[in-house]
Amino acid sequence: MMSTWTKVANVDDVLENGGSCIKVGNEHIAIFNFDNKTVWYAIENTCPHKKQSVLSRGLIGEDGGEPKVACPLHKNAFSLKTGKHLGGNEEWTVKTYPIKVENNEIYLNV
Ligand code: FES
């Protein structure tokens, strides 16, 4: 399958150690960076609990070495690596997307 990388932002446009919401086509994607923009993750922005587009505003952290985001509404937490709900509800897995940074530019493969 062809992979298509789309430039979505410049590194300097996003906050350090937090999330931002990016629209690519019809998809709203939450991108996150850790350690002052050295480690990046991308997941769908919609929380599966109440279908709200809020995950980019969630609190990021780690759970036993697993990077995670907690939804700002009811605190359900999701792995940023796998998209899995860390409370064990398999129906609540969110999509994850490949993300890369080159020359200070952020690219998503959607
Ligand atoms: S909407 Fe995200 S935890 Fe309820």
Side-chain angles (χ1 to χ4, degrees), residues 9-62:
N10 291 312
V11 167
D12 296 336
D13 296 337
V14 301
L15 293 175
E16 280 181 11
N17 297 318
S20 308
C21 181
I22 306 268
K23 191 160 183 253
V24 183
N26 290 326
E27 314 226 23
H28 289 90
I29 297 172
I31 65 170
F32 300 92
N33 69 91
F34 282 68
D35 294 333
N36 301 329
K37 305 179 180 176
T38 56
V39 182
W40 295 84
Y41 299 100
I43 64 172
E44 64 179 296
N45 194 37
T46 303
C47 179
H49 176 220
K50 296 280 185 194
K51 310 274 185 242
Q52 301 291 310
S53 284
V54 291
L55 290 181
S56 66
R57 292 192 273 123
L59 203 62
I60 59 172
E62 271 194 341

Side-chain angles (χ1 to χ4, degrees), residues 66 77-90 92-94 96:
E66 187 81 359
F78 302 89
S79 164
L80 293 175
K81 275 191 181 160
T82 64
K84 286 200 167 125
H85 176 236
L86 295 177
N89 185 336
E90 289 180 11
W92 283 0
T93 301
V94 294
T96 59

